Amino acid sequence: MWNLFSKIADGFNAVSNARADQQSLYMHEVEMDLAPEITAKELMALREHLLPAHHQALKPRADSPRRAIPRAM
């Protein structure tokens, strides 16, 4: 199994070498698809369909206030 951090370090080294004209990076053309148009009601119906019954406790309650998620400083 490969080590994720060594792969990330290799990528940063490759970018550094490419900027110093010591190495050329492979370039690929990518065609981006547009996001499908979906209404909030359709999205909620899909979520209800995909969310198993035993995970219903994870759904936010309508009467509970929304809390901000603290960000790391």
Side-chain angles (χ1 to χ4, degrees):
M1 187 170 158
W2 50 271
N3 182 345
L4 176 63
F5 296 106
S6 68
K7 293 292 185 184
I8 292 171
D10 290 344
F12 279 117
N13 289 336
V15 169
S16 176
N17 290 340
R19 287 183 178 162
D21 288 330
Q22 296 174 354
Q23 177 181 357
S24 60
L25 300 177
Y26 294 105
M27 302 294 269
H28 297 282
E29 291 285 328
V30 177
E31 186 176 320
M32 298 293 290
D33 292 334
L34 296 176
E37 291 186 23
I38 186 169
T39 65
K41 195 175 276 190
E42 292 170 328
L43 184 60
M44 291 299 293
L46 178 63
R47 183 174 180 264
E48 292 292 327
H49 175 72
L50 296 176
L51 189 65
H54 65 277
H55 285 118
Q56 292 293 324
L58 299 178
K59 291 184 358 180
R61 294 190 328 249
D63 62 340
S64 68
R66 291 182 179 251
R67 295 186 192 148
I69 299 172
R71 292 190 293 168
M73 297 246 174

